[in-house]
Amino acid sequence: MSKHNDQATRVTVKTLLKRKQDGQKISMLTCYDAAFAGIIEKSTIDMVLVGDSLGNVVLGMKDTIPVTMDHMIHHTAAVARASSRAMLVADMPFMSYNISIEQALTNAARLIQEGGAHAVKVEGGSAIIPQVKAMTRAGIPVVGHLGLTPQSIHTLGGYKVQGRGDEAAKMVREAKELSDAGVCALVLELVPQGLAKEITAAIKVPTIGIGAGPDTDGQVLVLQDMLGFPSEFSPKFLKRYATLGETIAAAVAQYDLEVKEGSFPAPEHTFQ
Ligand code: KIV
């Protein structure tokens, strides 16, 4: 296989930019393991995000703060093994890029080299511009993230819509700074529709919204949320495309019943 083969079929930063220029929407989903990555691989989803939502969604943590570089590399590598088409983005976890440019470069390199990611995602605006510039200069594509940034949950004081009132102008300014610093895309999380539309028009690179309305260049959802497990989580922005939580619970209960009443395994499941 040619060393250039991967880029022939892969969604890349160039694809994303062209999509924006052509007015074509970009689809992104989170994923944390090879089993689901294999299913997503069969679709035409453009970008797969190994989000640090890994903490809440898979590792049973109450937020994303305890997620470490080692967690992210472990799960990114699992997704990478089952993925050959979508662009693979990995979140840089809490405090893995804020301390210094050197720290950001070292950790981004690990996600690319050991995890197999094609881009890293970082949360924040003006404060991390030097890191974004250094990573892009080093050839590492960077996705920005503004609005509700879960790594700052203790500062933001809860999972609520960001950028209302006076905060809007600051978010537009920071989006432009990130775009000028070289991000290849910008996630906007829990942002009013009008502000997301303004930012989308103001920057060169695609915006990917979650709870930011229909006017962003693309959309992202957490895979497990859109599949309906756990079934209790239902924020306004979420559309559930399946109710797998209920389906799995029913299957588990039926298996338990059949084992206990002795009807499983049946003759057809048994070797003679
Ligand atoms: O960690 C994550 O899943 C994210 C998405 C919600 C954008 O950052």
Side-chain angles (χ1 to χ4, degrees), residues 35-216:
F36 277 118
I39 296 172
I40 294 175
E41 177 66 20
K42 296 195 182 89
S43 73
T44 53
I45 293 288
D46 300 304
M47 300 171 80
V48 169
L49 170 67
V50 184
D52 59 356
S53 51
L54 169 72
N56 340 21
V57 176
V58 174
L59 300 180
M61 297 164 176
K62 71 177 186 346
D63 52 42
T64 63
I65 309 283
V67 176
T68 64
M69 277 299 300
D70 287 342
H71 292 139
M72 289 306 303
I73 290 168
H74 182 79
H75 286 266
T76 303
V79 173
R81 281 180 214 115
S83 153
S84 63
R85 185 193 44 75
M87 177 171 164
L88 179 55
V89 183
D91 259 339
M92 297 194 72
F94 179 72
M95 275 296 156
S96 67
Y97 52 97
N98 312 74
I99 295 168
S100 67
I101 289 178
E102 189 181 338
Q103 183 215 24
L105 285 171
T106 306
N107 284 327
R110 287 192 68 200
L111 286 167
I112 304 285
Q113 233 174 354
E114 298 173 46
H118 310 121
V120 298
K121 180 165 80 59
V122 287
E123 297 183 3
S126 306
I128 57 159
I129 293 298
Q131 283 90 329
V132 172
K133 284 186 176 162
M135 290 189 280
T136 52
R137 259 201 307 268
I140 298 172
V142 179
V143 176
H145 185 156
L146 290 176
L148 190 279
T149 46
Q151 291 173 15
S152 307
I153 198 62
H154 299 311
T155 307
L156 299 176
Y159 295 90
K160 48 192 177 206
V161 175
Q162 303 294 310
R164 294 203 199 276
D166 294 346
E167 285 180 10
K170 180 176 176 222
M171 204 183 294
V172 175
R173 179 171 44 74
E174 293 198 310
K176 286 183 185 160
E177 283 176 34
L178 286 165
S179 177
D180 292 344
V183 295
C184 63
L186 178 63
V187 169
L188 295 175
E189 179 165 357
L190 293 193
V191 172
Q193 176 177 359
L195 178 57
K197 187 174 182 179
E198 185 181 343
I199 292 173
T200 300
I203 64 174
K204 301 183 293 279
V205 296
T207 55
I208 313 285
I210 174 164
D215 301 310
T216 49

